[in-house]
Amino acid sequence: MTYGLALSGGSLRGAVHIGILEVLEEEGLPPQALAGTSAGSIVGSLYAAGVPPKKIGQIFGLFLPKIPPSQEYIIKPLMADTMTTKSISWLPLPKGLLKGDFIESFMEKMIGGITFEELPLPLGVVTADLHTGETVIFTAEKHIPPKPWPPMTVFQARVPIKEAVRASSAIPGIFTPKTIGARTLVDGGLVSNVPADIVNILGAEKIIAVDLGFGVHETEPLKNLIDILLQTYDIMGQRIANLIAEQHAHLVLRPQAGCAGLLDFHKIPGFIEKGRICARESLEAIKKIAVR
């Protein structure tokens, strides 16, 4: 019997997944299949490529803070004094506040340009096609199930993992979409933020889902447009996430991760620790799923 792990999106709160994987490794309970969305696709891809969870945590803490908000990656804001009543109708607005290239650069630095075919574990990375509304799942060709596929779902193989992860992390409005082939792709949280259904399609018989929920800002203020977009996006996707988790997961872990802005890198160690705590508290339930 195989068990799979579904890792949800959640921006920087995705570091919680690292702590959960650390405990699973320590207990000799590594997943045999993975699917990830957005932040979950970053952690899941690194783990599937053989990067130990502890090393992933070290990398998150050391490398990521050095990237944004560098001018190399941020689209220059539109200047108010260039706008006129005449020009406003044709003004070329950007497709996102951030280019998002740093995500692909991060993955390139970590695992190079490997494809899903080169991974030792089945892995699915979830994205959404902005034009068709389809769920686009990147995985190895050998793991693509025979047709008919679920409605509005397509599979694609032989794509560099770094490109798929970049697409899966392209939060609409914040990051520019990623073009792969003829598709314009954005964050998979739009269609499946807790991809328990995808792990099931990839062949896992038992499924543990990690649902980071949305970053509740009850005590911390929403400081800017990015905070508002992140919070809105999380809230919108939560009902779909709940439905998918209930239908496909045998166990759902819901760590109390709290909230994080896009650049709150100082919170990463705390999120990793919250993942460890959640896994430790749920260990008996996890063993019932993961032990063959």
Side-chain angles (χ1 to χ4, degrees):
M1 180 183 70
T2 60
Y3 97 92
L5 199 61
L7 304 178
S8 79
S11 190
L12 285 184
R13 294 179 298 121
V16 169
H17 299 316
I18 300 170
I20 289 173
L21 283 166
E22 282 186 10
V23 173
L24 293 178
E25 283 285 318
E26 290 166 2
E27 294 293 329
L29 302 171
Q32 289 92 45
L34 293 136
T37 296
S38 197
S41 77
I42 297 174
V43 176
S45 294
L46 293 175
Y47 180 78
V51 183
K54 286 189 181 298
K55 186 174 180 182
I56 298 174
Q58 293 167 356
I59 294 160
F60 265 52
L62 294 175
F63 183 66
L64 283 179
K66 297 179 182 177
I67 307 174
S70 163
Q71 283 292 76
E72 183 181 350
Y73 297 101
I74 297 182
I75 295 175
K76 292 182 179 179
L78 298 166
M79 302 303 292
D81 59 4
T82 64
M83 300 183 191
T84 66
T85 305
K86 275 188 175 182
S87 68
I88 196 72
S89 62
W90 55 263
L91 190 68
L93 294 172
K95 294 180 180 179
L97 297 174
L98 305 175
K99 288 185 179 180
D101 296 346
F102 68 89
I103 298 171
E104 198 164 331
S105 298
F106 171 68
M107 297 301 296
E108 169 76 29
K109 182 179 179 69
M110 293 308 307
I111 60 174
I114 66 172
T115 66
F116 291 83
E117 277 70 22
E118 299 172 69
L119 296 177
L121 291 177
L123 170 71
V125 168
V126 184
T127 69
D129 188 310
L130 200 54
H131 292 295
T132 66
E134 292 171 308
T135 300
V136 181
I137 303 158
F138 292 96
T139 190
E141 191 166 6
K142 62 185 176 182
H143 299 310
I144 295 178
K147 292 183 178 180
W149 296 332
M152 295 292 288
T153 301
V154 296
F155 291 83
Q156 191 165 338
R158 304 196 179 281
V159 168
I161 294 168
K162 63 180 183 178
E163 294 187 23
V165 167
R166 161 70 175 89
S168 183
S169 305
I171 303 170
I174 295 180
F175 296 112
T176 56
K178 172 70 176 177
T179 300
I180 298 179
R183 294 185 179 274
T184 301
L185 301 168
V186 294
D187 195 308
L190 203 62
V191 288
S192 183
N193 196 47
V194 184
D197 53 335
I198 309 306
V199 186
N200 184 227
I201 291 171
L202 292 178
E205 297 168 279
K206 296 286 185 177
I207 298 160
I208 297 174
V210 184
D211 181 5
L212 298 180
F214 62 91
V216 182
H217 284 258
E218 292 181 346
T219 57
E220 296 187 29
L222 295 162
K223 306 182 203 68
N224 51 49
L225 173 62
I226 290 180
D227 280 357
I228 292 170
L229 286 172
L230 284 171
Q231 183 79 347
T232 302
Y233 186 69
D234 282 351
I235 292 171
M236 285 171 56
Q238 193 57 45
R239 183 166 294 184
I240 298 173
N242 290 343
L243 185 62
I244 291 174
E246 288 171 7
Q247 289 183 345
H248 296 278
H250 299 83
L251 174 65
V252 182
L253 305 181
R254 292 188 170 91
Q256 299 303 305
C259 61
L262 193 64
L263 302 180
D264 286 341
F265 297 108
H266 63 282
K267 293 185 176 182
I268 288 175
F271 290 139
I272 294 174
E273 181 58 28
K274 287 179 179 180
R276 293 192 197 102
I277 291 169
C278 176
R280 288 287 177 203
E281 291 177 345
S282 308
L283 195 54
E284 290 307 312
I286 290 172
K287 286 180 178 179
K288 289 179 181 179
I289 302 296
V291 176
R292 299 187 183 189

